[in-house]
Amino acid sequence: MKRIGIFYFHDDHGVVDDYICKLLREAEHYTERLVIVCNGMLSPEGRKKFRDFSGDIIVREDRGYNAEAYKEAFHYLGLEIKKYEEVILFDSTILGPIFSLKEVFHTMDAREVDFWGITKIQGAQAGQVFSGYFKSSYLPDYIECYFIAIRSTMIASYEFWQFWRKLPEIHSVTEAIVYYEIGFTEKFSNYGFKWDVYADDVTLSKNSRDPLLWQPVSFLKQTQCPFVKVKSLVHSEYPECLYNGRGETTKELYDYLKNETEYDVEYIWNYVLRVNTMPDIKRSFQLQYVLASNRELNFTGKKTAGLLIIADSGICMEKYITYLRNAADAGMDLHVICEESVEDSVRKLCSQYNTAICGIQYLKSYREYAEKLVEMCDTYQYICSIDFSLKNIHGVKALEEGVIRSNIENMIKSEGYISSIIQLFDKNPKMGIMVPPTPIHADYSRYIGWEWGKAARSAEKVAKEVHVPFEYKKPAIAPYKGAFWCRSSALKTLKKYIMQCKKEDELFEKSDFARSVLYVCLPIFVQNMRFYAAVVMNELYAGIEMTNLRFFLEEMKKNTSPHSDNKCLIELLKGLEANNKEILKR
């Protein structure tokens, strides 16, 4: 069948990701010509990529979403469109193909239809969002607009061209769904044109109006649907994810694509890490790990991992020196940055416990620490950092010491635990940095959801400079008090940043604020290199964490009664958001 494809593209920065090139490369096998319509920006690099697939590239004002983009493409082609037996309208909101498109076109070519798609949304009661647009309170079934094929029988019709001529101006996503996505199927169905979809599962559709989004693995397996929705990769509105499942949707989909299909998941990570904040990625991909501390050591030899510690005294080091011994026994080299006044005591302490120090430097500013960190990247594949400094900022040293203990135990609890950390890095090549959970005992819980602290604006500035998405209202996935494991190759941006910064830059002053800024910025530098941040803890601490979190949750719900009575947590969350908006209006 002689086909032409019209591809709709939009990206806030005009970047054409590799997953799009993969999609267009496959589409080339089934179309004789391709027209690309871009709403808004198109970067020079993006235009160069598109030219590999088409000489027909339309860059237009960012308005009207996909509907008005297609309308302009039809105007651009004019009567020439009638040369083709089928027009394919598809866009950049899909990832794939996961399965070959050959079977899709072979199957649909045999069906006597005027237009068809890949999936449909089941009819349902019109919610509050759509109630004002339809006479009926019930929405009809409709083809999802990410892929619609239109046969010549319909293209030649008067009704087809009238649809585009009379298409209202579209100012919102809701209007795009009403006037184009639902409207297209509804109107042409009412005109008597026949339609169908390739991937349809009655059982799954009864469970969910959109099984491709909320039950993607089951849907892909049962229907051989060739595409995945890009929206399935990261759920920026996480309550929506919890309302439609347990939160496992993205993780299960990713594992399925990685382990059971031939799709290159590198496309996924490169896109996801470019356009999403790290908190949204961490939640969607469930990047929180609990590791056993009693496993056998499975790696030997130095140069694999190095340990960098900061110490303002030997007090805390002495108490937890056995953990440093664990690291040494696991083959890790020890490097120390400390105050000049405590060098002798640190050396004596380490020699007393038979722990060799590979290097020791004075802590003049946090620039020395950052430079040492990137210097170690040339020697080690992985680096662990722990800050032993006791600042007594809470008035009770035992509280802060408890944080140091948690950090140490979640970083280097045992030789076997260290081995588990290394294996986790090896198993997940896009993992760039791992941090322990933010502490929630004593008054540390005030930092939950506000891990950026006073360093938020500085972190936002750094994120902007290195082109990483940032939202200070979302929690940082960052090392609290400088405890983390990182992959050396993920710190290349930090190295460049250090070389460009002036000596007096706030990131490298000798102050608690500078220390905070440096720590919260580390995952930003890592994400710039297209690696992700994760949270890690040992099994004992995980039990403590779950007990404490459950306690706080139960107490907060109990103490908001009667407001919380017989309400699920998502309803409470929505109620709080509504109250906050009302307060802001006042």
Side-chain angles (χ1 to χ4, degrees):
M1 191 176 287
K2 189 175 181 181
R3 299 184 183 92
I4 182 173
I6 301 176
F7 179 72
Y8 164 69
F9 168 80
H10 169 77
D11 182 83
D12 288 342
H13 303 286
V15 175
V16 177
D17 291 284
D18 290 339
Y19 85 87
I20 291 175
C21 295
K22 160 75 172 173
L23 178 63
L24 296 181
R25 198 174 298 117
E26 291 296 320
E28 274 188 316
H29 298 308
Y30 306 96
T31 55
E32 294 191 8
R33 183 179 176 186
L34 180 66
V35 176
I36 298 172
V37 190
C38 170
N39 274 17
M41 288 183 62
L42 179 61
S43 69
E45 295 80 8
R47 186 179 291 273
K48 185 178 179 181
K49 287 183 178 181
F50 277 154
R51 278 178 177 159
D52 289 340
F53 303 101
S54 174
D56 300 300
I57 301 172
I58 304 169
V59 180
R60 62 190 295 275
E61 183 183 351
D62 186 13
R63 60 177 175 79
Y65 298 89
N66 52 356
E68 292 190 27
Y70 291 138
K71 180 178 179 179
E72 186 154 331
F74 282 118
H75 177 75
Y76 170 78
L77 289 165
L79 295 177
E80 197 174 348
I81 198 77
K82 294 185 178 182
K83 295 179 181 179
Y84 300 93
E85 297 171 85
E86 195 166 73
V87 179
I88 309 294
L89 308 180
F90 65 121
D91 63 42
S92 54
T93 65
I94 50 174
L95 193 86
I98 309 304
F99 304 105
S100 173
L101 291 176
K102 183 178 181 179
E103 182 60 30
V104 175
F105 286 107
H106 176 74
T107 300
M108 299 312 292
D109 283 353
R111 295 188 189 177
E112 294 184 2
V113 293
D114 298 295
F115 65 108
W116 58 275
I118 302 296
T119 54
K120 68 179 178 181
I121 296 293
Q122 297 289 330
Q125 285 294 125
Q128 188 176 358
V129 174
F130 298 111
S131 58
Y133 292 96
F134 295 93
K135 294 178 182 179
S136 170
S137 62
Y138 195 82
L139 297 179
D141 292 1
Y142 61 90
I143 297 174
E144 293 198 81
C145 68
Y146 64 77
F147 186 106
I148 296 178
I150 308 163
R151 298 266 167 87
S152 57
T153 51
M154 200 162 103
I155 295 170
S157 70
Y158 170 80
E159 291 90 345
F160 180 78
W161 295 100
Q162 281 296 97
F163 173 84
W164 296 106
R165 287 192 191 100
K166 292 184 177 181
L167 184 73
E169 286 190 10
I170 293 173
H171 304 96
S172 67
V173 173
T174 301
E175 289 184 353
I177 294 171
V178 170
Y179 296 132
Y180 171 56
E181 189 162 33
I182 298 176
F184 191 92
T185 304
E186 182 186 36
K187 282 184 182 294
F188 288 107
S189 179
N190 290 339
Y191 291 146
F193 292 101
K194 295 179 182 179
W195 66 276
D196 202 353
V197 293
Y198 172 75
D200 194 12
D201 186 279
V202 177
T203 304
L204 287 174
S205 296
K206 286 181 180 179
N207 296 333
S208 170
R209 287 193 70 218
D210 192 352
L212 181 58
L213 180 62
W214 298 117
Q215 297 172 285
V217 175
S218 297
F219 193 78
L220 290 174
K221 285 182 176 179
Q222 293 187 37
T223 67
Q224 297 290 289
C225 176
F227 302 119
V228 167
K229 293 182 178 181
V230 171
K231 187 181 177 182
S232 297
L233 301 178
V234 174
H235 297 276
S236 57
E237 298 297 329
Y238 199 65
E240 185 184 21
C241 191
L242 292 178
Y243 223 98
N244 289 278
R246 300 177 304 169
E248 78 281 13
T249 304
T250 296
K251 180 67 167 61
E252 284 189 351
L253 174 60
Y254 174 76
D255 288 344
Y256 171 71
L257 294 177
K258 179 183 178 183
N259 300 322
E260 298 185 47
T261 75
E262 296 180 1
Y263 193 81
D264 187 353
V265 294
E266 188 77 8
Y267 295 138
I268 294 175
W269 283 121
N270 288 340
Y271 169 75
V272 162
L273 290 164
R274 180 180 70 82
V275 302
N276 296 280
T277 65
M278 201 57 243
D280 288 335
I281 297 171
K282 182 253 182 183
R283 289 180 185 135
S284 297
F285 283 84
Q286 301 295 322
L287 300 176
Q288 186 153 292
Y289 301 90
V290 177
L291 302 181
S293 54
N294 58 355
R295 294 183 64 174
E296 293 183 3
L297 181 66
N298 286 321
F299 78 95
T300 56
K302 297 186 178 182
K303 308 305 181 189
T304 299
L307 175 60
L308 176 61
I309 66 170
I310 300 177
D312 60 355
S313 73
I315 298 172
C316 214
M317 276 186 62
E318 184 172 8
K319 194 163 187 177
Y320 298 110
I321 191 69
T322 53
Y323 291 101
L324 298 183
R325 181 71 262 164
N326 292 337
D329 290 344
M332 296 181 72
D333 292 336
L334 175 62
H335 299 261
V336 179
I337 293 183
C338 66
E339 302 286 351
E340 185 175 358
S341 58
V342 299
E343 179 187 358
D344 291 341
S345 62
V346 168
R347 287 188 183 277
K348 184 178 179 181
L349 180 64
C350 289
S351 63
Q352 181 182 345
Y353 286 88
N354 196 30
T355 303
I357 300 175
C358 292
I360 193 163
Q361 289 181 221
Y362 299 143
L363 183 62
K364 298 176 182 178
S365 73
Y366 277 89
R367 188 181 186 92
E368 278 77 25
Y369 168 76
E371 287 177 342
K372 182 62 181 177
L373 187 62
V374 297
E375 177 191 313
M376 289 174 67
C377 291
D378 296 330
T379 306
Y380 306 100
Q381 188 176 359
Y382 306 110
I383 300 166
C384 177
S385 174
I386 298 174
D387 192 336
F388 280 89
S389 302
L390 274 172
K391 300 299 181 183
N392 197 24
I393 57 176
H394 296 271
V396 182
K397 279 191 175 182
L399 295 178
E400 192 167 3
E401 190 180 308
V403 176
I404 294 176
R405 177 186 175 187
S406 297
N407 286 346
I408 294 169
E409 291 183 346
N410 284 319
M411 295 289 97
I412 53 172
K413 184 174 176 64
S414 66
E415 293 177 56
Y417 185 77
I418 293 169
S419 179
S420 295
I421 292 275
I422 299 297
Q423 288 179 54
L424 192 60
F425 270 117
D426 289 343
K427 188 179 178 181
N428 298 278
K430 299 304 290 186
M431 181 183 288
I433 188 168
M434 280 192 281
V435 303
T438 305
I440 57 175
H441 66 281
D443 61 347
Y444 288 99
S445 58
R446 64 183 172 178
Y447 296 112
I448 294 293
W450 188 239
E451 284 85 352
W452 300 110
K454 295 178 180 179
R457 294 304 178 191
S458 299
E460 185 176 27
K461 175 177 173 287
V462 170
K464 187 175 181 180
E465 289 175 359
V466 298
H467 309 291
V468 167
F470 180 92
E471 289 185 44
Y472 72 90
K473 288 185 179 180
K474 292 184 178 180
I477 313 300
Y480 184 79
K481 275 195 68 68
F484 63 89
W485 274 89
C486 69
R487 185 187 302 271
S488 296
S489 55
L491 294 182
K492 289 180 180 178
T493 301
L494 174 61
K495 186 174 185 178
K496 292 178 183 176
Y497 196 88
I498 293 171
M499 294 172 65
Q500 294 170 0
C501 281
K502 297 177 181 178
K503 292 278 185 181
E504 64 273 13
D505 191 279
E506 66 178 11
L507 196 64
F508 306 117
E509 294 174 352
K510 187 178 181 182
S511 68
D512 290 339
F513 176 70
R515 178 178 62 170
S516 299
V517 172
L518 178 59
Y519 290 156
V520 299
C521 285
L522 282 175
I524 294 174
F525 293 121
V526 166
Q527 189 174 349
N528 172 265
M529 290 300 300
R530 301 294 183 261
F531 292 96
Y532 63 75
V535 174
V536 68
M537 65 192 95
N538 66 72
E539 76 278 31
L540 177 62
Y541 188 84
I544 297 171
E545 178 88 346
M546 286 301 299
T547 299
N548 295 344
L549 289 174
R550 193 83 188 184
F551 168 76
F552 281 127
L553 199 58
E554 289 166 353
E555 289 298 304
M556 282 188 284
K557 197 168 190 294
K558 184 174 71 178
N559 286 288
T560 53
S561 180
H563 174 67
S564 63
D565 290 351
N566 202 33
K567 289 183 179 178
C568 73
L569 293 170
I570 300 172
E571 289 174 322
L572 285 176
L573 181 62
K574 288 183 177 179
L576 288 171
E577 288 175 347
N579 287 339
N580 288 337
K581 288 179 181 178
E582 188 63 33
I583 291 169
L584 287 172
K585 286 180 182 178
R586 295 174 191 170

